[in-house]
Amino acid sequence: MMTNFDLIVIGGGPAGSTLATLVAKAGYDVLIIEKCRFPRYKVGESLLPATVTDLFDLLGIDRSNLENLFTLKRGATFSWGSDLNSTWNLNFGGHAANSSKFSSDTPHAFNVVRSQFDKILLDNARNKGVCVYDNCKVLRLLETGGVVNGVEFQNENGVLEKIGAHYVADASGQSSKLASIVGKKTHSKFFKKKAIWGYYERSERLPEPLEGNVSFQALDGNWLWHIPLNNTLTSVGVVTSAKQKVKDQHAYLQQQINSSPLLSKLLKEAILSTQEPYDSIRICSDYSYCYERFWRPGLVLVGDSACFVDVLLSSGVHLATYAGVLSAKSIISILSKELPEVVALNEYETHVRKEYAIFYDGLIGLYDMSLKSIDYSNWLRRLLSGSNGVFYQAIMNSRINGMSNSTANVEAMRAYNKKQLAYVETASLDTNIITAL
């Protein structure tokens, strides 16, 4: 079998497009194999600042038109804690959350229609030299001597093909059928949740300058979201226990909205969208997990193929693109023979697991819904300042450390994440063992 590419990326979502673009920009031949033809529907519409500003700059995407395409978000508005009728704001910058004094360099993010956003990233990958096979399905990985070195896939005409590569990345998402070759997938015992959501038209917005804020309402152990996507469309959902019996998803969602002081006001004149693909109520459950390993010789898991925390606080796309950037650094160092695979990918896995751990601990704290707003505000600011969600820490401009203790470091993080996934105690802001790392 001929080696046709330096890197094959399975999946053209944010993680895959990010990885492929950065490796191609470094001068390597890269192929993305994507099962769909973009644009396609995807949930996960609320972004963190680094996913827009730092990421787009790294990928070479012009940001000047983003405000015309998506809804600018300065932060989030919460009705969270012991008083359901009070609200408080958390912005990404240094000004007061309800201030109108936002300068052009104040950190901000966007709420996006994912079909548009993901297509921008994939089209940019093409423009940067990445070869894209869409409407194709990868069926199995190829390997020689225990090293993955290619894939077998069904092309858009239904014909089976084999193609080789020096390296393969699985960025095919939560439903990956290939990731199990790396190791066991463990689901969270704490975040055993169920999300039910739909899309509404004619929803009201918060007053300026917070009209693009995501709104969150805690409600009797559940919580709801309200994400303004554009002038007409709003994503609205509720997260409840995976054990909650729901016979009629629409009726349950509407009942939760009616019980929410914040969302019932915003949605009092709203109607469910009749526009495809936003005209149905959707449901997803048991979506928090992490694999016991993120790589094996010749193969690396990236984005949702490796791990996912929770739908709260926009961590999904952030972790996916952050992993895309870090995996690109490691794969470039492997292809250039600067570092051995074990060192480069142990370092990649260590850093992604640390980011996962920060959000995991932080979100456990938020599920303690009995406190006052100031407690959550301080907690969230510490979480965001300790993560890479607002600013990447110049990760593409720095060299991989090539640390001699890379194996010990990654094993420590694997053990830590395993401990997190097994945590079943009561939610508490004191759940902050990440500070010991």
Side-chain angles (χ1 to χ4, degrees), residues 379-406:
W379 174 259
L380 285 169
R381 287 206 175 277
R382 288 198 302 272
L383 185 156
L384 290 174
S385 65
S387 76
N388 289 272
V390 178
F391 297 109
Y392 288 160
Q393 297 173 358
I395 52 178
M396 279 308 288
N397 295 324
S398 62
R399 294 173 60 85
I400 293 180
N401 294 332
M403 45 197 177
S404 59
N405 58 337
S406 64

Side-chain angles (χ1 to χ4, degrees), residues 340-417:
E341 178 187 46
V342 64
V343 175
L345 289 180
N346 277 348
E347 188 157 342
Y348 153 74
E349 183 174 342
T350 297
H351 286 296
V352 174
R353 286 185 177 278
K354 282 186 176 180
E355 195 78 356
Y356 178 89
I358 289 169
F359 278 91
Y360 198 102
D361 280 351
L363 293 176
I364 285 180
L366 275 186
Y367 274 89
D368 180 353
M369 301 176 183
S370 63
L371 304 177
K372 296 181 179 180
S373 60
I374 189 65
D375 298 316
Y376 301 110
S377 178
N378 292 339
W379 174 259
L380 285 169
R381 287 206 175 277
R382 288 198 302 272
L383 185 156
L384 290 174
S385 65
S387 76
N388 289 272
V390 178
F391 297 109
Y392 288 160
Q393 297 173 358
I395 52 178
M396 279 308 288
N397 295 324
S398 62
R399 294 173 60 85
I400 293 180
N401 294 332
M403 45 197 177
S404 59
N405 58 337
S406 64
T407 298
N409 288 339
V410 77
E411 289 295 346
M413 283 311 307
R414 287 170 182 166
Y416 183 78
N417 291 154

Side-chain angles (χ1 to χ4, degrees), residues 119-192:
K119 189 174 187 300
I120 289 172
L121 296 184
L122 186 60
D123 287 348
N124 179 66
R126 283 192 178 97
N127 294 336
K128 296 299 189 295
V130 176
C131 182
V132 178
Y133 294 173
D134 55 10
N135 206 25
C136 299
K137 183 178 180 181
V138 174
L139 301 177
R140 67 185 183 96
L141 299 167
L142 306 176
E143 59 180 272
T144 301
V147 178
V148 175
N149 59 0
V151 301
E152 182 178 47
F153 69 98
Q154 187 179 59
N155 68 23
E156 60 181 344
N157 298 314
V159 178
L160 295 183
E161 294 187 35
K162 294 180 180 179
I163 193 164
H166 291 297
Y167 223 86
V168 177
D170 180 5
S172 58
Q174 293 192 19
S175 59
S176 172
K177 300 296 190 295
L178 306 171
S180 60
I181 193 175
V182 172
K184 180 183 177 183
K185 182 180 186 179
T186 302
H187 286 269
S188 168
K189 291 186 176 181
F190 182 88
F191 293 112
K192 297 185 76 65

Side-chain angles (χ1 to χ4, degrees), residues 219-237:
L219 187 69
D220 298 329
N222 296 346
W223 64 269
L224 296 94
W225 77 74
H226 178 280
I227 306 174
L229 299 180
N230 51 41
N231 290 334
T232 60
L233 197 64
T234 301
S235 172
V236 179

